[in-house]
Amino acid sequence: MREIIFDTETTGLDSRDDRVIELGGVELVNRFPTGRTFHHYINPQGRAIHEEAQAVHGISAADLAGKPTFADIAEEWLTFTDGAKLVAHNATFDIGFLNVEFGRLGHPVVDPGRVVDTLALARRKHPMGPNSLDALCRRYGIDNTKRTKHGALLDSELLAEVYIELIGGKQAALILDSATAPAQGENVRHIEIIVAERPRPLPARLTEAERAAHAAMVATLGEKALWLKANSSEKSVAAS
């Protein structure tokens, strides 16, 4: 199973008017990072960067001078993500921007069935929140000290770790040989554990005096005592 954990940075919040200025992603196969990544800064072609947005990601217009346009990197992104699930935090925002960018180029929109929103996963798993990426890193003990500003590639790398925790933790991904890993939806094969019988029974720990005291106590319970019925059943099973 192949998944791309990705993130975008933009000039603002309105996908109809603002532009993507950074796009990053990391590849997971069977929930393990492969080391393959995608990362580009993107020239917004004259669209100004809102001050509020720049305060979040720290990217200025000067930083983007001479960078490729979205049209320049579109095919590379499509090749990198081909056939994979797309995983993002607050995916509606990122997919909305990508759909508008690809729409300008005549590409079809992203199939919603390919998209996994980790914010929705987090809200179901931790309904009391908070569920920001930073908060989830703290919850799961993931080191995010390098994240002084938002960045598409760094955020994708952090989100990959968070995503694995959200879907069940690292234990769910301990299938080291991807060739033998079960496909999505298959049942994991259970290993039968056979415990050998003892060559001889353990010696009894009850003394004869303790046995006699117990028998005397049972005799006082009456003929309808549950103990007598249980004891009778055990003898019947042993005899058969």
Short mmCIF file of all heavy atoms in Angstrom, two decimals, residues 36-80:
data_model
loop_
_atom_site.label_atom_id
_atom_site.label_comp_id
_atom_site.label_asym_id
_atom_site.label_seq_id
_atom_site.Cartn_x
_atom_site.Cartn_y
_atom_site.Cartn_z
N ARG A 36 11.74 8.50 -0.18
CA ARG A 36 11.41 9.32 -1.35
C ARG A 36 10.59 10.54 -0.90
O ARG A 36 9.63 10.39 -0.14
CB ARG A 36 10.60 8.53 -2.37
CG ARG A 36 11.36 7.46 -3.12
CD ARG A 36 10.49 6.89 -4.23
NE ARG A 36 10.23 7.90 -5.25
CZ ARG A 36 9.14 7.92 -6.03
NH1 ARG A 36 8.20 6.99 -5.88
NH2 ARG A 36 8.98 8.86 -6.94
N THR A 37 10.98 11.69 -1.37
CA THR A 37 10.26 12.92 -1.01
C THR A 37 10.05 13.77 -2.26
O THR A 37 10.70 13.57 -3.30
CB THR A 37 11.04 13.74 0.02
OG1 THR A 37 12.29 14.16 -0.54
CG2 THR A 37 11.29 12.94 1.30
N PHE A 38 9.13 14.71 -2.12
CA PHE A 38 8.86 15.72 -3.15
C PHE A 38 8.88 17.07 -2.47
O PHE A 38 8.30 17.23 -1.40
CB PHE A 38 7.49 15.47 -3.78
CG PHE A 38 7.09 16.48 -4.83
CD1 PHE A 38 7.24 16.19 -6.18
CD2 PHE A 38 6.57 17.73 -4.48
CE1 PHE A 38 6.88 17.12 -7.15
CE2 PHE A 38 6.21 18.65 -5.43
CZ PHE A 38 6.36 18.34 -6.78
N HIS A 39 9.55 18.05 -3.08
CA HIS A 39 9.55 19.38 -2.47
C HIS A 39 9.90 20.44 -3.50
O HIS A 39 10.89 20.32 -4.23
CB HIS A 39 10.54 19.47 -1.31
CG HIS A 39 10.50 20.79 -0.62
ND1 HIS A 39 11.59 21.63 -0.50
CD2 HIS A 39 9.46 21.46 -0.04
CE1 HIS A 39 11.24 22.74 0.14
NE2 HIS A 39 9.97 22.66 0.43
N HIS A 40 9.04 21.46 -3.57
CA HIS A 40 9.31 22.61 -4.44
C HIS A 40 8.73 23.87 -3.80
O HIS A 40 7.63 23.84 -3.25
CB HIS A 40 8.67 22.44 -5.82
CG HIS A 40 9.46 21.59 -6.75
ND1 HIS A 40 10.69 21.98 -7.26
CD2 HIS A 40 9.21 20.36 -7.28
CE1 HIS A 40 11.15 21.04 -8.06
NE2 HIS A 40 10.27 20.05 -8.09
N TYR A 41 9.51 24.97 -3.90
CA TYR A 41 8.94 26.30 -3.72
C TYR A 41 8.41 26.73 -5.08
O TYR A 41 8.99 26.39 -6.13
CB TYR A 41 9.99 27.28 -3.21
CG TYR A 41 10.41 27.03 -1.79
CD1 TYR A 41 11.62 26.40 -1.50
CD2 TYR A 41 9.58 27.39 -0.73
CE1 TYR A 41 12.00 26.14 -0.20
CE2 TYR A 41 9.95 27.15 0.58
CZ TYR A 41 11.16 26.51 0.84
OH TYR A 41 11.52 26.26 2.15
N ILE A 42 7.31 27.48 -5.09
CA ILE A 42 6.59 27.76 -6.34
C ILE A 42 6.35 29.25 -6.49
O ILE A 42 5.86 29.91 -5.56
CB ILE A 42 5.26 26.98 -6.36
CG1 ILE A 42 5.53 25.48 -6.25
CG2 ILE A 42 4.46 27.29 -7.62
CD1 ILE A 42 4.29 24.66 -5.94
N ASN A 43 6.67 29.76 -7.64
CA ASN A 43 6.45 31.18 -7.94
C ASN A 43 4.96 31.44 -8.15
O ASN A 43 4.33 30.79 -8.99
CB ASN A 43 7.23 31.57 -9.20
CG ASN A 43 7.26 33.06 -9.43
OD1 ASN A 43 6.21 33.71 -9.40
ND2 ASN A 43 8.44 33.59 -9.66
N PRO A 44 4.35 32.36 -7.35
CA PRO A 44 2.91 32.60 -7.47
C PRO A 44 2.52 33.51 -8.62
O PRO A 44 1.36 33.92 -8.72
CB PRO A 44 2.56 33.24 -6.13
CG PRO A 44 3.80 33.99 -5.75
CD PRO A 44 4.95 33.15 -6.25
N GLN A 45 3.46 33.83 -9.50
CA GLN A 45 3.20 34.60 -10.71
C GLN A 45 2.51 35.95 -10.41
O GLN A 45 1.47 36.29 -10.97
CB GLN A 45 2.36 33.78 -11.69
CG GLN A 45 3.07 32.51 -12.15
CD GLN A 45 2.22 31.67 -13.07
OE1 GLN A 45 1.36 30.93 -12.60
NE2 GLN A 45 2.44 31.78 -14.37
N GLY A 46 3.12 36.69 -9.50
CA GLY A 46 2.66 38.04 -9.22
C GLY A 46 1.64 38.14 -8.10
O GLY A 46 1.31 39.26 -7.67
N ARG A 47 1.11 37.03 -7.61
CA ARG A 47 0.12 37.10 -6.52
C ARG A 47 0.85 37.46 -5.23
O ARG A 47 1.82 36.81 -4.83
CB ARG A 47 -0.60 35.76 -6.35
CG ARG A 47 -1.67 35.78 -5.27
CD ARG A 47 -2.82 36.69 -5.69
NE ARG A 47 -3.90 36.70 -4.73
CZ ARG A 47 -4.00 37.54 -3.71
NH1 ARG A 47 -3.04 38.43 -3.47
NH2 ARG A 47 -5.04 37.50 -2.92
N ALA A 48 0.39 38.51 -4.56
CA ALA A 48 1.02 38.96 -3.33
C ALA A 48 0.76 37.97 -2.19
O ALA A 48 -0.27 37.28 -2.16
CB ALA A 48 0.48 40.34 -2.95
N ILE A 49 1.71 37.89 -1.27
CA ILE A 49 1.58 37.01 -0.11
C ILE A 49 0.99 37.83 1.04
O ILE A 49 1.54 38.87 1.42
CB ILE A 49 2.93 36.42 0.31
CG1 ILE A 49 3.53 35.62 -0.85
CG2 ILE A 49 2.78 35.55 1.55
CD1 ILE A 49 4.94 35.13 -0.60
N HIS A 50 -0.12 37.37 1.58
CA HIS A 50 -0.74 38.08 2.72
C HIS A 50 0.21 38.08 3.92
O HIS A 50 0.91 37.10 4.17
CB HIS A 50 -2.06 37.41 3.10
CG HIS A 50 -3.12 37.52 2.05
ND1 HIS A 50 -3.95 38.60 1.92
CD2 HIS A 50 -3.48 36.65 1.07
CE1 HIS A 50 -4.79 38.42 0.92
NE2 HIS A 50 -4.52 37.24 0.38
N GLU A 51 0.19 39.19 4.65
CA GLU A 51 1.07 39.29 5.83
C GLU A 51 0.79 38.18 6.83
O GLU A 51 1.71 37.64 7.44
CB GLU A 51 0.88 40.66 6.49
CG GLU A 51 1.43 41.83 5.68
CD GLU A 51 1.31 43.14 6.42
OE1 GLU A 51 0.91 43.11 7.62
OE2 GLU A 51 1.59 44.20 5.83
N GLU A 52 -0.50 37.86 7.02
CA GLU A 52 -0.86 36.81 7.98
C GLU A 52 -0.29 35.46 7.56
O GLU A 52 0.20 34.69 8.40
CB GLU A 52 -2.38 36.70 8.12
CG GLU A 52 -3.07 37.95 8.65
CD GLU A 52 -3.37 38.96 7.55
OE1 GLU A 52 -2.90 38.77 6.39
OE2 GLU A 52 -4.08 39.95 7.84
N ALA A 53 -0.34 35.18 6.26
CA ALA A 53 0.21 33.92 5.77
C ALA A 53 1.73 33.89 5.91
O ALA A 53 2.31 32.88 6.33
CB ALA A 53 -0.20 33.71 4.31
N GLN A 54 2.37 35.00 5.58
CA GLN A 54 3.83 35.05 5.68
C GLN A 54 4.29 34.90 7.13
O GLN A 54 5.34 34.31 7.39
CB GLN A 54 4.37 36.36 5.09
CG GLN A 54 5.89 36.39 5.02
CD GLN A 54 6.41 37.57 4.21
OE1 GLN A 54 5.70 38.13 3.39
NE2 GLN A 54 7.65 37.96 4.46
N ALA A 55 3.49 35.39 8.06
CA ALA A 55 3.83 35.23 9.48
C ALA A 55 3.81 33.76 9.89
O ALA A 55 4.54 33.36 10.80
CB ALA A 55 2.86 36.03 10.34
N VAL A 56 2.99 32.96 9.21
CA VAL A 56 2.89 31.53 9.53
C VAL A 56 4.03 30.75 8.92
O VAL A 56 4.70 29.95 9.58
CB VAL A 56 1.53 30.97 9.06
CG1 VAL A 56 1.50 29.45 9.19
CG2 VAL A 56 0.40 31.59 9.87
N HIS A 57 4.28 30.95 7.60
CA HIS A 57 5.28 30.11 6.93
C HIS A 57 6.62 30.80 6.68
O HIS A 57 7.62 30.13 6.38
CB HIS A 57 4.74 29.55 5.61
CG HIS A 57 4.14 30.55 4.68
ND1 HIS A 57 4.82 31.64 4.18
CD2 HIS A 57 2.90 30.61 4.13
CE1 HIS A 57 4.05 32.32 3.37
NE2 HIS A 57 2.86 31.73 3.32
N GLY A 58 6.66 32.11 6.81
CA GLY A 58 7.93 32.83 6.67
C GLY A 58 8.46 32.95 5.26
O GLY A 58 9.62 33.33 5.06
N ILE A 59 7.64 32.65 4.26
CA ILE A 59 8.08 32.71 2.87
C ILE A 59 7.72 34.08 2.29
O ILE A 59 6.56 34.49 2.35
CB ILE A 59 7.43 31.60 2.03
CG1 ILE A 59 7.74 30.23 2.64
CG2 ILE A 59 7.91 31.66 0.58
CD1 ILE A 59 6.96 29.08 2.01
N SER A 60 8.70 34.76 1.72
CA SER A 60 8.47 36.09 1.15
C SER A 60 8.48 36.00 -0.38
O SER A 60 8.91 35.01 -0.97
CB SER A 60 9.54 37.06 1.61
OG SER A 60 10.80 36.71 1.04
N ALA A 61 8.01 37.07 -1.01
CA ALA A 61 8.03 37.13 -2.48
C ALA A 61 9.46 37.02 -3.00
O ALA A 61 9.70 36.39 -4.05
CB ALA A 61 7.37 38.43 -2.94
N ALA A 62 10.41 37.62 -2.28
CA ALA A 62 11.81 37.55 -2.71
C ALA A 62 12.32 36.10 -2.71
O ALA A 62 13.13 35.72 -3.56
CB ALA A 62 12.67 38.42 -1.79
N ASP A 63 11.85 35.31 -1.74
CA ASP A 63 12.25 33.90 -1.67
C ASP A 63 11.81 33.11 -2.89
O ASP A 63 12.40 32.08 -3.23
CB ASP A 63 11.67 33.23 -0.42
CG ASP A 63 12.20 33.82 0.87
OD1 ASP A 63 13.38 34.23 0.89
OD2 ASP A 63 11.43 33.88 1.85
N LEU A 64 10.75 33.57 -3.55
CA LEU A 64 10.15 32.81 -4.65
C LEU A 64 10.57 33.31 -6.02
O LEU A 64 10.18 32.73 -7.04
CB LEU A 64 8.62 32.86 -4.53
CG LEU A 64 8.06 32.31 -3.21
CD1 LEU A 64 6.56 32.53 -3.13
CD2 LEU A 64 8.41 30.84 -3.05
N ALA A 65 11.37 34.35 -6.05
CA ALA A 65 11.85 34.86 -7.33
C ALA A 65 12.71 33.81 -8.02
O ALA A 65 13.61 33.23 -7.42
CB ALA A 65 12.67 36.14 -7.11
N GLY A 66 12.39 33.51 -9.27
CA GLY A 66 13.15 32.53 -10.02
C GLY A 66 12.76 31.09 -9.77
O GLY A 66 13.34 30.17 -10.38
N LYS A 67 11.80 30.85 -8.87
CA LYS A 67 11.34 29.49 -8.63
C LYS A 67 10.39 29.05 -9.74
O LYS A 67 9.80 29.88 -10.45
CB LYS A 67 10.63 29.41 -7.27
CG LYS A 67 11.49 29.79 -6.08
CD LYS A 67 12.70 28.89 -5.96
CE LYS A 67 13.52 29.23 -4.71
NZ LYS A 67 14.76 28.43 -4.62
N PRO A 68 10.20 27.75 -9.92
CA PRO A 68 9.29 27.27 -10.98
C PRO A 68 7.85 27.64 -10.67
O PRO A 68 7.48 27.85 -9.51
CB PRO A 68 9.49 25.76 -10.96
CG PRO A 68 9.99 25.46 -9.58
CD PRO A 68 10.82 26.63 -9.18
N THR A 69 7.05 27.75 -11.71
CA THR A 69 5.61 27.96 -11.53
C THR A 69 4.95 26.62 -11.23
O THR A 69 5.57 25.55 -11.37
CB THR A 69 4.98 28.57 -12.79
OG1 THR A 69 5.07 27.59 -13.86
CG2 THR A 69 5.69 29.85 -13.19
N PHE A 70 3.67 26.66 -10.85
CA PHE A 70 2.96 25.42 -10.58
C PHE A 70 2.90 24.56 -11.85
O PHE A 70 3.03 23.33 -11.78
CB PHE A 70 1.55 25.69 -10.06
CG PHE A 70 0.89 24.46 -9.49
CD1 PHE A 70 1.04 24.14 -8.15
CD2 PHE A 70 0.14 23.61 -10.29
CE1 PHE A 70 0.46 22.99 -7.63
CE2 PHE A 70 -0.45 22.47 -9.77
CZ PHE A 70 -0.29 22.16 -8.43
N ALA A 71 2.72 25.20 -13.00
CA ALA A 71 2.68 24.45 -14.25
C ALA A 71 3.98 23.70 -14.49
O ALA A 71 3.98 22.59 -15.06
CB ALA A 71 2.39 25.39 -15.41
N ASP A 72 5.09 24.25 -14.01
CA ASP A 72 6.40 23.63 -14.22
C ASP A 72 6.56 22.34 -13.41
O ASP A 72 7.30 21.44 -13.81
CB ASP A 72 7.53 24.60 -13.84
CG ASP A 72 7.60 25.81 -14.76
OD1 ASP A 72 7.23 25.67 -15.94
OD2 ASP A 72 8.01 26.89 -14.27
N ILE A 73 5.91 22.28 -12.26
CA ILE A 73 6.12 21.12 -11.36
C ILE A 73 4.92 20.17 -11.34
O ILE A 73 4.96 19.14 -10.68
CB ILE A 73 6.45 21.59 -9.93
CG1 ILE A 73 5.29 22.42 -9.32
CG2 ILE A 73 7.72 22.43 -9.93
CD1 ILE A 73 4.32 21.63 -8.49
N ALA A 74 3.86 20.50 -12.04
CA ALA A 74 2.62 19.73 -11.96
C ALA A 74 2.80 18.27 -12.37
O ALA A 74 2.36 17.35 -11.67
CB ALA A 74 1.53 20.39 -12.81
N GLU A 75 3.46 18.03 -13.49
CA GLU A 75 3.62 16.66 -13.97
C GLU A 75 4.50 15.84 -13.03
O GLU A 75 4.27 14.64 -12.81
CB GLU A 75 4.21 16.65 -15.38
CG GLU A 75 3.25 17.16 -16.45
CD GLU A 75 1.98 16.33 -16.55
OE1 GLU A 75 2.04 15.11 -16.27
OE2 GLU A 75 0.93 16.90 -16.90
N GLU A 76 5.51 16.48 -12.46
CA GLU A 76 6.37 15.78 -11.48
C GLU A 76 5.55 15.34 -10.26
O GLU A 76 5.71 14.22 -9.75
CB GLU A 76 7.52 16.69 -11.06
CG GLU A 76 8.50 16.03 -10.11
CD GLU A 76 9.59 16.97 -9.62
OE1 GLU A 76 9.71 18.08 -10.18
OE2 GLU A 76 10.31 16.60 -8.67
N TRP A 77 4.66 16.22 -9.80
CA TRP A 77 3.80 15.88 -8.66
C TRP A 77 2.84 14.75 -9.01
O TRP A 77 2.64 13.82 -8.24
CB TRP A 77 3.03 17.12 -8.20
CG TRP A 77 1.98 16.83 -7.15
CD1 TRP A 77 0.63 16.79 -7.32
CD2 TRP A 77 2.21 16.53 -5.77
NE1 TRP A 77 0.00 16.50 -6.14
CE2 TRP A 77 0.96 16.33 -5.17
CE3 TRP A 77 3.36 16.41 -4.98
CZ2 TRP A 77 0.80 16.00 -3.83
CZ3 TRP A 77 3.21 16.09 -3.64
CH2 TRP A 77 1.94 15.89 -3.07
N LEU A 78 2.25 14.81 -10.19
CA LEU A 78 1.31 13.77 -10.61
C LEU A 78 2.00 12.42 -10.73
O LEU A 78 1.44 11.39 -10.37
CB LEU A 78 0.66 14.16 -11.94
CG LEU A 78 -0.32 15.34 -11.88
CD1 LEU A 78 -0.75 15.74 -13.29
CD2 LEU A 78 -1.54 15.01 -11.01
N THR A 79 3.23 12.42 -11.19
CA THR A 79 3.99 11.17 -11.28
C THR A 79 4.33 10.65 -9.89
O THR A 79 4.21 9.44 -9.62
CB THR A 79 5.29 11.40 -12.08
OG1 THR A 79 4.95 11.84 -13.41
CG2 THR A 79 6.11 10.12 -12.17
N PHE A 80 4.73 11.55 -9.01
CA PHE A 80 5.10 11.15 -7.64
C PHE A 80 3.92 10.56 -6.89
O PHE A 80 4.07 9.62 -6.10
CB PHE A 80 5.65 12.38 -6.90
CG PHE A 80 6.10 12.12 -5.48
CD1 PHE A 80 7.22 11.35 -5.22
CD2 PHE A 80 5.38 12.65 -4.41
CE1 PHE A 80 7.63 11.11 -3.92
CE2 PHE A 80 5.79 12.41 -3.11
CZ PHE A 80 6.91 11.64 -2.86
#
